[in-house]
Amino acid sequence: MARTPSQADALFQQFLPLADSIASGLASSSRVIELDDARQVAQMQLWLSCRQVTDPASAAGYLRRCIKGALLHHLRDHGRLVRVPRRQHEKGGHPWSHQSLHAPMPSGDLWIDQLEAPEQPGQPCGEGIEALLDRLPAAQAAIIRLSVLEGQSLRQIGAKLGISAMSVQRRRQAGLAALKAELA
């Protein structure tokens, strides 16, 4: 049985410090998500979850799991892969501040086209990222193409491939490790 609005509000107020504590812990340990964003996600999940609590005795454990799960989903889906220093991010002058590298510049060119590829000693000149990706298993290569090159979230990729976001993350990490070993 779900709680009445007044009971849920009282539960929300009771566990608000828990949500803020979990949010600040994740924000300080990850350095990928801002504290205000983490608090907002945690408080929203707390508000939604308080209405689902059926047993007051187990409310703390249930709410803690719900809040942590919502924060981890937010971190996976909205965290930036490239960390820009806060001052540059706030000024907005950095090309990675709020847009994809595939976004057009005012001149019409793409940001990614403006980046120079580092020259690797000992690597054949014509060897590109696609050639390296072709050496990986097909699933890993597809995941890296979708996540790194196209900027899709782990959930979006998982939905396309019919697997969980966690499986996508594991396969992406394995593929990136294989690429790193290949380049080293």
Side-chain angles (χ1 to χ4, degrees):
M1 176 173 106
R3 295 210 161 293
T4 65
S6 62
Q7 291 172 325
D9 290 341
L11 201 59
F12 176 81
Q13 291 302 321
Q14 178 185 352
F15 287 102
L16 192 56
L18 174 70
D20 288 341
S21 172
I22 294 170
S24 62
L26 182 78
S28 67
S29 68
S30 73
R31 294 184 169 185
V32 174
I33 185 172
E34 299 291 331
L35 178 60
D36 291 337
D37 292 341
R39 280 190 177 144
Q40 186 176 20
V41 170
Q43 289 175 6
M44 181 58 139
Q45 186 60 45
L46 174 65
W47 184 78
L48 292 170
S49 299
C50 282
R51 280 141 177 75
Q52 303 301 318
V53 171
T54 57
D55 181 17
S58 63
Y62 172 73
L63 294 173
R64 182 184 320 270
R65 285 189 304 276
C66 290
I67 292 166
K68 281 185 180 179
L71 284 167
L72 291 175
H73 283 298
H74 181 80
L75 185 63
R76 273 195 304 264
D77 292 344
H78 300 289
R80 292 179 297 214
L81 294 175
V82 177
R83 182 72 174 154
V84 178
R86 184 177 182 165
R87 293 188 199 282
Q88 281 184 315
H89 180 73
E90 289 173 350
K91 288 179 187 175
H94 200 282
W96 298 330
S97 57
H98 293 287
Q99 56 194 351
S100 164
L101 290 176
H102 296 283
M105 296 173 38
S107 65
D109 296 329
L110 298 179
W111 283 109
I112 199 160
D113 293 337
Q114 303 306 310
L115 300 175
E116 293 183 25
E119 292 189 26
Q120 298 284 332
Q123 289 279 35
C125 293
E127 180 129 36
I129 188 71
E130 288 297 328
L132 290 172
L133 287 175
D134 288 340
R135 295 180 188 168
L136 293 176
Q140 288 178 355
I143 288 171
I144 291 174
R145 281 185 181 99
L146 293 171
S147 69
V148 177
L149 300 179
E150 295 183 19
Q152 294 184 19
S153 73
L154 298 177
R155 278 189 182 169
Q156 291 171 328
I157 297 168
K160 281 185 180 179
L161 300 178
I163 57 177
S164 70
M166 186 56 71
S167 295
V168 171
Q169 182 179 12
R170 287 185 190 120
R171 291 179 186 180
R172 182 180 69 177
Q173 291 304 105
L176 291 173
L179 286 176
K180 186 177 180 180
E182 182 78 28
L183 292 172

